[in-house]
Structure formats: structure tokens, C-alpha cells
């Protein structure tokens, strides 16, 4: 009886010990779970997600920048094309407006321009260039050719050379010049040249006489029978103004 009782007691004690150990292990797992949970929270994917979102944000920014850049490029291209079209239309518009301006612009009067004379090339000085500068504050149309009389004894205007006539009327904005080439003589020794220190010029459509001082201290030598004038042009042109 005593032996059986002891055995039963030992068995009961062993069972209690096993239960106690099991309870302790249960507590240990329970305690370890929060630690593991804390560890997971500390290294949570949400932290990584934040980094990822930052990286994604940068990528989006780069994407946006890239997209924006491409949009800018396209916009730029658009502007260029648009500007090109505008330029084209502007050119055509300007052309038509220029034609309208030519038709509607008033003819230059004597008071609108200042005319000066200068020798062309070297001696013998057979040609001079007249420059008519628009000194007014508005545009004006310089038509035809200068009506020149070199000598009081020779009352006829110097003849104009037809090939020098420009295709369109010369419209001078304020401050712009126009030119006319004038032949004085052939440069021969046996010509009937006469000295001229000043001469008169009239513009087409205006009877006002403009006195022009001849270039050079001694003036110019003119043969009235050989004198010729070109039309007013925006610039002197080879060929058309060679006479």
C-alpha cells in the first residue's frame, strides 16, 4: 500500500510539474508574440512602403518632369510650327499691307525729303548719286525720277533712263533713303562741258524747286547733251543703273 501510494503521489507530482512547465511555456510564447509583433511593426512593410512611395514620388516627379519636358518639347514644337505659320501669314499679310500702303501712302513732297549729291567712282567724274532721305515723321511714296535742270541756259529736264525704273513705287518710311544715279558726261576732253556748282531738282507731283549743291569744291562738269538720270530706287542696282 505504501509503495502504491508513493507511486501515485510521484505520478501526480509529475503530472503537476508537466502542467506547470506547459503553462510556463504557454506564457513564454504569449510574451514572445508581442516582441515579435513589435519587431514586425518596427520593420513593417509600411516603412518600406513609405520609402517606396518616396521613390515612386521621385519617379513620378521624374515622370512628370519627363512628361512635362515632352509636353514642353511638343509645346515648343507647336510654338515653332505656329510661329512658322504666323511668319508665313505675317509675310503674306505684310506683303499685302505693303501693297495697300503703297497705294494709300501720300506722295513725297519737297518738304518731306532732303536731297544731297555725291560723286561716284573716281576722276573723270562722269556720274553723281542723288540721295533723297525722308526727313518727315511719316511714310511717303517717292515716284518717278528726279526732274533735274543743271543750267539756266538749258531749261529742259535731264532725260530719264527707262531700264532703271523699279517694278514697284518706292515707299520711304521716316528716315529711309532712296537713290538716283545721274550721268553728267562721257568723260571726254572734247565735250561741251560746263561747270555746275548747284542745280535744281523737282519731285514728281510737286512743282517746288529744290536747290542741290554740287559735290566737290569746284563743282561738277556737265555736258547737257549727254546728261541722263535714273529713277528713284531703294538701292543702286548693277545693270539697271549702269548707263
Amino acid at each position: 500500500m505504501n509503495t502504491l501510494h508513493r507511486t501515485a503521489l510521484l505520478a501526480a507530482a509529475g503530472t503537476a510539474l508537466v502542467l506547470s512547465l506547459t503553462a510556463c511555456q504557454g506564457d513564454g510564447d504569449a510574451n514572445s508574440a508581442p516582441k515579435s509583433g513589435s519587431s514586425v511593426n518596427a520593420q513593417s512593410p509600411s516603412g518600406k512602403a513609405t520609402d517606396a512611395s518616396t521613390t515612386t514620388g521621385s519617379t513620378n516627379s521624374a515622370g512628370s518632369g519627363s512628361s512635362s519636358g515632352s509636353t514642353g518639347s511638343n509645346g515648343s514644337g507647336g510654338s515653332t510650327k505656329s510661329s512658322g505659320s504666323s511668319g508665313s501669314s505675317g509675310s503674306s499679310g505684310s506683303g499685302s499691307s505693303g501693297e495697300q500702303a503703297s497705294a494709300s501712302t501720300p506722295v513725297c513732297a519737297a518738304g518731306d525729303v532732303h536731297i544731297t549729291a555725291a560723286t561716284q567712282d573716281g576722276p573723270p567724274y562722269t556720274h553723281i548719286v542723288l540721295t533723297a532721305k525722308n526727313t518727315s515723321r511719316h511714310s511717303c511714296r517717292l515716284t518717278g525720277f528726279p526732274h533735274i535742270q543743271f543750267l539756266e541756259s538749258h531749261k529742259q529736264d535731264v532725260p530719264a533712263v527707262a531700264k532703271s525704273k523699279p517694278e514697284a513705287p518706292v515707299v520711304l518710311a521716316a528716315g529711309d533713303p532712296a537713290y538716283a544715279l545721274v550721268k553728267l558726261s562721257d568723260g571726254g576732253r572734247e565735250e561741251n562741258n560746263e561747270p555746275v556748282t548747284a542745280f535744281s531738282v523737282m519731285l514728281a507731283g510737286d512743282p517746288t524747286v529744290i536747290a542741290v549743291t554740287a559735290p566737290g569744291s569746284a563743282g561738277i562738269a556737265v555736258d547737257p547733251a549727254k546728261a541722263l538720270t535714273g529713277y528713284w530706287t531703294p538701292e543702286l542696282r548693277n545693270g539697271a543703273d549702269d548707263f
Side-chain angles (χ1 to χ4, degrees):
M1 289 292 294
N2 289 336
T3 301
L4 290 175
H5 181 65
R6 182 177 300 170
T7 300
L9 287 175
L10 288 173
T15 301
L17 181 59
V18 169
L19 290 173
S20 174
L21 288 173
T22 301
C24 287
Q25 286 176 358
D27 290 342
D29 290 339
N31 289 334
S32 66
K35 289 181 183 177
S36 175
S38 298
S39 176
V40 169
N41 289 336
Q43 300 174 357
S44 65
S46 70
K48 293 181 182 177
T50 304
D51 294 339
S53 80
T54 304
T55 308
T56 304
S58 301
T59 304
N60 288 339
S61 295
S64 282
S66 172
S67 170
S68 172
S70 44
T71 302
S73 299
N74 292 337
S76 229
S79 296
T80 304
K81 290 179 183 175
S82 170
S83 178
S85 329
S86 278
S88 303
S89 50
S91 295
S92 56
S94 174
S96 43
S97 67
E99 291 173 6
Q100 291 173 359
S102 298
S104 61
T105 304
V107 174
C108 295
D112 295 327
V113 297
H114 177 63
I115 299 178
T116 56
T119 53
Q120 187 191 47
D121 302 327
Y125 295 106
T126 60
H127 292 74
I128 60 172
V129 176
L130 296 184
T131 300
K133 183 177 181 180
N134 183 358
T135 54
S136 71
R137 296 184 179 180
H138 59 82
S139 297
C140 66
R141 190 159 36 99
L142 195 59
T143 60
F145 54 88
H147 295 264
I148 304 169
Q149 289 186 7
F150 281 116
L151 301 164
E152 290 186 5
S153 60
H154 194 84
K155 294 296 184 181
Q156 295 179 350
D157 289 349
V158 174
V161 179
K163 71 174 184 177
S164 69
K165 184 177 181 179
E167 294 180 1
V170 179
V171 178
L172 298 180
D176 282 355
Y179 307 94
L181 183 67
V182 181
K183 181 180 177 180
L184 307 175
S185 67
D186 286 336
R189 292 185 177 180
E190 297 181 0
E191 289 183 285
N192 294 320
N193 293 335
E194 296 191 39
V196 173
T197 55
F199 55 94
S200 66
V201 174
M202 289 189 296
L203 303 179
D206 189 343
T208 306
V209 175
I210 303 170
V212 179
T213 302
S217 56
I220 52 179
V222 179
D223 182 350
K226 303 291 178 66
L228 295 170
T229 182
Y231 281 71
W232 293 113
T233 57
E235 58 185 1
L236 296 179
R237 306 150 300 166
N238 292 332
D241 297 317
D242 292 339
F243 51 84

